[in-house]
Amino acid sequence: MTRIIGRPIPRIEDPRLLRGEGRFVADLRLPGTLEALLIRSPHAHARLESVNLAEARGLSGVAAAFTAEELAREGWIDASLRADARMPLMGWPEVSYVGQPVAAVVAESRYVAEDAADLVSAEYRPLPVVASIEASIAPGAAPVRADLASNTAVHKVTGYRDVDAAFRDAEIVVEEEFRIARAAAHALETRGILAAPDPATSGVTVWVSTSRPHSLRSALSIFLGLPAWAIRVIVPDVGGAFGSKTFGYPEDFLIPLLATRLRRPVRWLEDRREHFVATLQGREQLHHIRLAARRDGRLLAVDDTFWMDVGAFASAAGMIDRTIATLPGPYYLPAYRATAHAVLTHKTPVGPYRGAGRPQGNYVMERMMDRLGEAAGMDPAEVRRINLIPSSAMPYRTGLDITYDSGDYPAALDQALVLAGYPLRREEQAAARRQERYLGVGLAAYIEDTGRAGPYEAALARLEPDGSVTISSGAPSAGQGHETTFAQVAAERLALPVERVRVAFTDTAEIGLGIGAFGSRSAGIATGAVWDACAGLERRLKEVAAAMLEAAVDDLELAPDGAVQVKGVPSHRVTFEELARVGTSVGMDPLPPGVLPGLEVSATFRGLPQYGNGVHVSVVEVDRETGQVRLLAYSVVHDCGTLLNPTIVTGQVRGGVAHGISTALLEELRYDEEGQLLSGTYQDYLLPTAFDLPPIAVEHVEHPSPFTPTGAKGAGEGGTIPALACVANAIEDALRPLGVRIRELPVTPERLRALLRASPTPPSS
């Protein structure tokens, strides 16, 4: 049989999506559904003195309106309950960021809900605002919330070996400060949730755009005081997540609460204006980093102190660990110290955004590798080459007790330089400079930790009466192509044509366990569970077939057309359809003696983290007069272990590069000193279009992971992680004759013109 894993088969889900047959939360509306809308604080920090809902409640078509205080007073909620361990359901009596919910209305239609919201009036008493990292850590800074003694949510110092001794012995010391601006995921589909009371269980069924349905079910069980079996969470089609749909939000709890109390289905759909202030944001960090090296360019130590702005609630302060772990990269680093601070401000809380702390760690290290090459008089490629961990050291355990499982980092660098035509690009750059054109070439090497988040994943494999196989996974798809890749893994394991495998939407009533789809864990961990579930199903099929064929289980094998046969005697066989009729008692057929019913097997897979790697090369041209950056070419060599589907992986890489380029050049959620968002529309917050992106050449390398059944590693964030540094390095390389230093992202034309004006050789006026 032709191997199915590794084939670039077209995505199974695409035809129905292209026909407009996708089933997103916004496409779901049950009879009698009410529409909810939240009223949000216009203040970054204030005391909520009162909310007047009388006029809203009097509007025809309004079913309910409430504040958190009223919900608590009526006994609907405990006022201390939070959406997760840190974020409250609604602001009361204190609001801590613009966009925090303070009240809600529920009406017969969205139009009526919008009208009712306009009738809600609230009185606020403004309080001091802390809207930046510097303001948060300043001596005497006002606390971000009344319940806080300090604005530092997490302070952590970690590392290994004697960093101070390394700096004393260093022949080269480089010191820099780097800042990465706040950005957000901006998935094509905003968040949404539909909840309906279930009269059969006195519970609730929830359809929600989330990456973690089982976690939400568990949290709702506690919040609503219902057993988990009475709560069903279904994830239909999801139009992108990129990390933003990983955590529980206030709406995820309020809407099911309303459905159970009002005894009617209730739906909430986030509009794009809300998305800018209500969905978790990301990226914002400030680093002060020092690097020590020998004269020949070999690393001795890195000492990095950084601050991460986590917004008003520390929902994702743990992302500092990802930054710490990512920063050493693919290099042999003898000594390392990271001092990390997660600090609170009066801004929208932070969550994971494609890379979740890893792009920032890679950015500062790869920027410093360029600085090291400059100080040592070495080409950026060569200074990386002499510091890369060799393939002979694999598996390599770092000083942080992290094991890089497989890869050939120097070979990836060499392949990337060939793919990019590196020597020729340098020649083009020299010729362009003679013409006073500013071309630059940027490099960035990286590691991508995948499968670290969550201890396991679960999957279920079931033989259907028609002989096909259904796969259910605890990791829902958000557009990554799970319907295709999971089907390929199952088809490979069961020797079935891929057309006879169906991957179902994630439904907690179908599969009782699961962690979710985030942190690039699907290709390695989730498919590991699919593989093991199919292995278990194969065993059950052989047990039933053995009784039917009067053969020993070990004498049987799977045939490539959906059957079990005796080894060496292919005519002595039984088809999957026949097995289904017997194994599931379809038509009340008697079971063979000793055969238990059921051809459905679930499995959990616990895998160690896998580490992808690669090298990016970019070529840019900078217009000295306008500060405009034009990307001319972009090359990627990417190793994510076994390629489950090369077409899908290439799409993931290119999409990830687009996200990284966007962070480097465009995206910036800018707040003023009062905590007001200044870039809250797409007129001010820019995302890349096809015209902003260069051709992206991608080549894959396969060094399978020993930690997963297929050898696959995650691939969802490898395109993003190094792209920030790759682009910034290219811009600085282009402007090196002018002495321009890039220290802040994004590199907007306005910011670049200011740097050019301040450079030792400013542009002519």
Side-chain angles (χ1 to χ4, degrees), residues 521-543:
R521 64 193 309 273
S522 295
I525 304 300
T527 63
V530 171
W531 183 273
D532 285 355
C534 290
L537 180 59
E538 177 189 0
R539 179 73 183 181
R540 288 289 297 123
L541 294 173
K542 287 181 177 178
E543 289 171 352

Side-chain angles (χ1 to χ4, degrees), residues 12 209 496 541:
I12 294 169
S209 181
L496 270 178
L541 294 173

Side-chain angles (χ1 to χ4, degrees), residues 639-650:
D639 179 0
C640 63
T642 301
L643 292 169
L644 300 176
N645 184 311
T647 300
I648 287 178
V649 176
T650 298

